[in-house]
Amino acid sequence: MNVLLIEDDKRISEFIVKGLEENNFTVHLAETGEIARDLIQQDIWDIILMDIMLPGIDGIQLVKLMRFKKNHTPVLMLSALSDTDDKVTALDSGADDYLVKPFHFKELISRVNALTRRTKFNYDKVETLYKLGTLTINPEEHKVTENDTLIDLSPREYKLLLYLLENRNKVIPRTQILNAVWGINYDNNTNVVDVYISYLRNKIEQNHKFIHTIKGTGYMIKEES
């Protein structure tokens, strides 16, 4: 597995590189956001481990740039910032998971394996196109259109929509959506799922209702009969 580690703290980077290599990962280190930006554009990575506080381009700016350029390599943020708002900002910017420093190395390996498994699984099972009423969802291009008009979704809104579509006509509990779209160990008391369902409805339900609330349980996506 080809891993790009973006970390400017030499002590931390040496610890992570040593541990990953002992677990048979191939690791390349970038110590600034600018170096990382060039490496991301030049090579193909299985996963990117990214610190937020970087000299020059920071981790948030870097992951936003990646997603803007349609680079969907899984990103695991590594940060000493532990507030919920910091996690939400990183995830909403396009990161796939968030791990607070200091962490146990076994948890890092578990998160890396989970993200790469999930990505491979999604690509293996992806359809050419999803159709939902007048909506067309293109998983390869991460595009959502209605009658050929592009609907602008944030990375998190898109991921939520795709997960609902992958489970079309099934009732999905809020906690399951939370774990799948926002990552494991997220605060289960948060209302972030409901908030993002509302965002999504405002963007895709101008003409038809697709997302149905199942009271006391969660949500289901289906076309109105």
Side-chain angles (χ1 to χ4, degrees), residues 22-211:
E22 286 176 353
N23 282 271
N24 299 316
F25 292 92
T26 300
V27 189
H28 195 110
L29 174 65
E31 296 180 330
T32 70
E34 287 80 4
I35 294 173
R37 177 193 58 200
D38 295 340
L39 288 171
I40 290 168
Q41 293 172 350
Q42 293 168 8
D43 295 295
I44 296 174
W45 307 95
D46 293 299
I47 190 167
I48 297 173
L49 310 182
M50 186 185 302
D51 187 17
I52 290 181
M53 307 296 288
L54 294 166
I57 303 172
D58 66 29
I60 299 296
Q61 294 172 311
L62 196 54
V63 75
K64 283 182 176 179
L65 179 63
M66 285 178 58
R67 300 320 186 206
F68 176 76
K69 291 182 173 293
K70 306 301 182 186
N71 184 325
H72 305 296
T73 304
V75 172
L76 171 57
M77 286 291 195
L78 308 175
S79 177
L81 304 174
S82 59
D83 287 348
T84 298
D85 287 346
D86 294 318
K87 297 177 184 179
V88 169
T89 297
L91 293 168
D92 286 351
S93 298
D96 296 280
D97 202 355
Y98 192 104
L99 186 58
V100 177
K101 302 174 184 175
F103 49 79
H104 291 290
F105 198 80
K106 284 184 178 180
E107 183 175 7
L108 174 64
I109 293 294
S110 178
R111 299 284 188 102
V112 167
N113 288 336
L115 277 177
T116 51
R117 266 199 317 269
R118 188 187 309 161
T119 302
K120 183 179 186 303
F121 176 68
N122 286 340
Y123 276 109
D124 285 349
K125 71 183 236 181
V126 79
E127 297 180 9
T128 305
L129 294 172
Y130 285 106
K131 295 283 189 178
L132 188 68
T134 55
L135 294 176
T136 301
I137 297 87
N138 187 326
E140 290 187 359
E141 297 181 2
H142 282 225
K143 282 186 179 179
V144 180
T145 55
E146 182 169 25
N147 296 324
D148 296 324
T149 300
L150 184 65
I151 297 176
D152 184 24
L153 299 182
S154 72
R156 198 60 47 176
E157 290 164 351
Y158 174 81
K159 194 169 183 179
L160 174 58
L161 176 60
L162 192 62
Y163 184 70
L164 292 172
L165 286 168
E166 288 168 351
N167 294 275
R168 188 197 304 240
N169 300 322
K170 298 178 183 177
V171 179
I172 314 173
R174 284 177 177 81
T175 53
Q176 183 177 327
I177 296 172
L178 192 63
N179 288 336
V181 178
W182 277 267
I184 58 176
N185 295 331
Y186 204 86
D187 181 4
N188 286 336
N189 295 317
T190 181
N191 68 341
V192 68
V193 173
D194 305 291
V195 170
Y196 271 78
I197 288 288
S198 177
Y199 291 163
L200 203 51
R201 281 173 166 159
N202 288 335
K203 292 185 177 182
I204 71 169
E205 293 190 342
Q206 298 300 316
N207 301 307
H208 303 280
K209 182 175 178 62
F210 299 120
I211 302 173

